[in-house]
Amino acid sequence: MTTSTEHRATTSNEAVPPETAEPAPPGTLAGLGRRARTIGSRDHWTTPRLVRGLTALSLAALLGLGATATAVLGGARDGTDTIGHRDAPQATRAADLYFALSDMDAQAANLLLVGADPEYTTLRKQTLDTYEQRRAQADDDLQQAARAAADDPAGQRAVRLVLDRLGSYEALVARAQLLEEQANSPAGQPSQAALETYRQATDLLRGRLLPAADQVTVTSDASVERVYLQQRDALGSGRWWLLAVGLLALAALLGLQRALAVRYRRVVNPALAAVTLLTGVVLVTGLNLVGRAEDHLVTAKSNAYDSVIALSRARAVAFDMNADESRYLIDPTRAVAYEQAFLEQTQAIARIDGATLADYNARLADAAGRHRADRTAVPFGGYLGSELHNVTFPGEQDAAERVLDTFQQYQLTDRRIRELSTAGRLKEAVTLNTGLSKGQSNYDFEQLGAAIGDTIAINATAMDRAVAETDGDLDGTTAALAAGVLAVALGLAAVGVRPRLREYR
């Protein structure tokens, strides 16, 4: 009887699985090891805990994906907004202010040049009208610059300086005109009193107003460059962060689906499959938007804005150069200084290293000929050289070539003016300088200004289009759609997991 009982006990023990066998005494090594394995596998990573853990990881990754996309694309939107709607317009507006002020002084000089000579009556009226137009333009540019510089202390100081001094400049010009009318002077020979008053006006303009206007341009241009570099870096790193977080979200979702398939013997969870698909779509769309934002940023800043600001500054300098041409004729005492200033402005537009006024045209003609033979070669510097190195858009090359052509023609006419003046043929020099007919200096200068304006317009249109496309890609509709997709994904994840977890209640 005893033997039979022992035999049954032995047989029963051999048949019991390890999970249900009677535990070893807790004090033994075997008992401690078995307890640790039980806690590590069966008790700790139970199916509910595993599913909850993977669900939490998936939800956190989805929220991280949404936050990363918001940060990267929101930064791109803000950066483009800063460049396209604030700093770039402020820089070009300040350059326009410089141009308006320079042309005001050029027209003031022309008024002294024509004097009371009845042959210039019509020209005198046209010159006065242009002066008034430029004064109104300068006032408008100042008002807009003041609004744009609201958050820029350096810009505010520069704008205030121009505002404070512009009234003084206009008063001096008005007094010079009055003195000239009273003196009834012949063309090219203003009265000494009018000339002295004009000197005060032009010294104020060149010494205070133009540098202040240029400072606004420099400050805004530096801000554009800084924001652009920061945003390119942010988009470059943001693309990798978006990719990493997106792949983590996909991995977590795939791991969760595998756990459910293994533990619950289910091939696919429709809700989680939909979440995975949405996550993939969001990731691909986000990466595409980052790429588009970067492309638009490069187009707006490097391809378009850089040309706009170079040409805007070229136009501003050109009007100051044109004023130096007139100053050269009306003020023989300062003729050498004005001639040197004219050369410096000329070099700023198209730099030929080592050139003098005497050989500049010949050397520019040689450089221009080499460029026309091979448009990729730009053997001169300056603002025009920068533009020809940065030709990007349809029609821009031909437009920039017209700037070069008209600039060369203007320079040729200028030398004839100086030759006439040196030969003592002052009235002919004045007529050539102030005339608006083809072959005369102001006609040539108008052609140059129009060519520069046309080239600016091509680039400005491209910049506005790139900024508008970024605004369209990253507007409120995109943000609302992204938030909706994220909410749907989170809801579907909960719907897919909750029924499985309820089985353990």
Side-chain angles (χ1 to χ4, degrees):
M1 186 68 179
T2 301
T3 302
S4 175
T5 302
E6 291 175 354
H7 176 72
R8 286 196 303 272
T10 302
T11 304
S12 176
N13 287 338
E14 290 174 354
V16 175
E19 291 84 351
T20 60
E22 184 178 346
T28 66
L29 290 174
L32 290 174
R34 182 175 297 172
R35 183 171 181 80
R37 288 194 301 272
T38 301
I39 292 174
S41 58
R42 186 178 61 201
D43 290 345
H44 186 71
W45 285 114
T46 60
T47 296
R49 286 183 176 178
L50 179 62
V51 172
R52 288 192 183 100
L54 288 172
T55 301
L57 178 60
S58 299
L59 295 179
L62 287 172
L63 290 172
L65 179 61
T68 303
T70 298
V72 174
L73 296 176
R77 182 193 61 236
D78 294 342
T80 303
D81 182 70
T82 298
I83 292 174
H85 298 300
R86 192 191 73 185
D87 289 339
Q90 184 173 337
T92 55
R93 192 175 298 119
D96 285 344
L97 173 61
Y98 192 116
F99 137 68
L101 292 172
S102 295
D103 199 34
M104 283 175 64
D105 204 54
Q107 302 308 318
N110 287 340
L111 287 171
L112 295 186
L113 269 180
V114 298
D117 194 315
E119 292 183 23
Y120 299 112
T121 300
T122 301
L123 180 60
R124 181 179 180 81
K125 182 180 183 308
Q126 292 174 336
T127 303
L128 280 169
D129 290 343
T130 302
Y131 177 85
E132 291 300 325
Q133 290 172 8
R134 294 294 183 246
R135 186 170 69 170
Q137 180 179 345
D139 289 341
D140 182 61
D141 286 338
L142 272 173
Q143 292 175 14
Q144 295 187 50
R147 287 194 295 269
D151 300 324
D152 178 11
Q156 287 179 350
R157 287 193 297 271
V159 169
R160 280 198 301 270
L161 191 152
V162 177
L163 283 169
D164 292 343
R165 303 293 183 180
L166 183 57
S168 299
Y169 169 80
E170 291 175 354
L172 286 169
V173 169
R175 177 168 174 75
Q177 292 174 10
L178 177 62
L179 290 170
E180 181 65 10
E181 289 173 359
Q182 291 174 345
N184 200 31
S185 302
Q189 301 178 46
S191 68
Q192 190 61 33
L195 184 57
E196 286 292 343
T197 304
Y198 173 74
R199 283 175 180 170
Q200 296 176 41
T202 195
D203 287 347
L204 175 60
L205 180 93
R206 295 159 64 86
R208 304 299 297 273
L209 298 181
L210 293 183
D214 191 54
Q215 181 58 43
V216 177
T217 304
V218 170
T219 301
S220 299
D221 186 45
S223 180
V224 170
E225 186 68 24
R226 183 179 64 255
V227 172
Y228 171 72
L229 293 176
Q230 290 173 347
Q231 195 52 52
R232 285 211 70 181
D233 289 343
L235 286 171
S237 60
R239 177 186 291 107
W240 291 109
W241 277 108
L242 190 63
L243 180 62
V245 177
L247 292 177
L248 175 62
L250 289 173
L253 288 167
L254 291 172
L256 177 58
Q257 291 178 81
R258 184 178 185 280
L260 293 178
V262 171
R263 299 298 178 101
Y264 292 93
R265 304 293 190 273
R266 296 175 183 273
V267 176
V268 67
N269 184 304
L272 290 179
V275 174
T276 305
L277 179 61
L278 281 176
T279 302
V281 170
V282 168
L283 177 59
V284 171
T285 302
L287 291 173
N288 181 56
L289 286 174
V290 170
R292 283 174 58 84
E294 187 170 20
D295 289 343
H296 292 154
L297 183 67
V298 170
T299 298
K301 197 277 178 187
S302 292
N303 297 337
Y305 167 79
D306 284 355
S307 289
V308 168
I309 195 63
L311 290 164
S312 295
R313 300 190 78 174
R315 180 170 61 182
V317 166
F319 275 87
D320 196 21
M321 175 185 69
N322 193 45
D324 280 325
E325 185 180 75
S326 296
R327 296 173 187 130
Y328 166 84
L329 291 177
I330 65 170
D331 195 348
T333 304
R334 293 186 174 185
V336 174
Y338 288 141
E339 189 170 70
Q340 180 60 32
F342 181 93
L343 176 61
E344 291 172 359
Q345 309 286 26
T346 296
Q347 291 277 38
I349 295 172
R351 187 181 68 255
I352 304 292
D353 292 332
T356 65
L357 204 62
D359 66 5
Y360 180 86
N361 281 347
R363 295 183 61 180
L364 178 61
D366 176 68
R370 283 184 282 150
H371 169 69
R372 293 185 181 101
D374 177 8
R375 286 182 163 181
T376 62
V378 184
F380 51 87
Y383 297 125
L384 183 53
S386 297
E387 161 56 14
L388 286 168
H389 277 297
N390 195 41
V391 170
T392 309
F393 308 107
E396 185 180 0
Q397 181 72 53
D398 290 340
E401 297 287 351
R402 286 195 298 276
V403 175
L404 178 58
D405 293 342
T406 54
F407 181 71
Q408 286 185 269
Q409 181 57 50
Y410 173 78
Q411 291 289 326
L412 290 171
T413 303
D414 171 81
R415 301 310 183 273
R416 291 201 296 273
I417 291 172
R418 297 178 195 277
E419 289 170 1
L420 290 171
S421 177
T422 301
R425 299 158 65 181
L426 182 59
K427 187 169 182 179
E428 292 179 57
V430 170
T431 299
L432 186 58
N433 173 260
T434 57
L436 296 172
S437 300
K438 188 173 182 179
Q440 296 178 315
S441 182
N442 277 355
Y443 173 88
D444 292 340
F445 189 76
E446 283 188 359
Q447 299 304 303
L448 172 61
I452 294 175
D454 290 344
T455 315
I456 289 175
I458 291 171
N459 286 277
T461 299
M463 182 174 70
D464 292 343
R465 184 168 55 248
V467 171
E469 287 176 354
T470 299
D471 290 343
D473 285 346
L474 307 178
D475 62 2
T477 302
T478 302
L481 183 60
V485 170
L486 178 61
V488 170
L490 295 173
L492 286 174
V495 169
V497 173
R498 187 176 181 186
R500 305 287 76 81
L501 294 176
R502 290 180 63 183
E503 296 179 11
Y504 285 87
R505 291 184 179 180

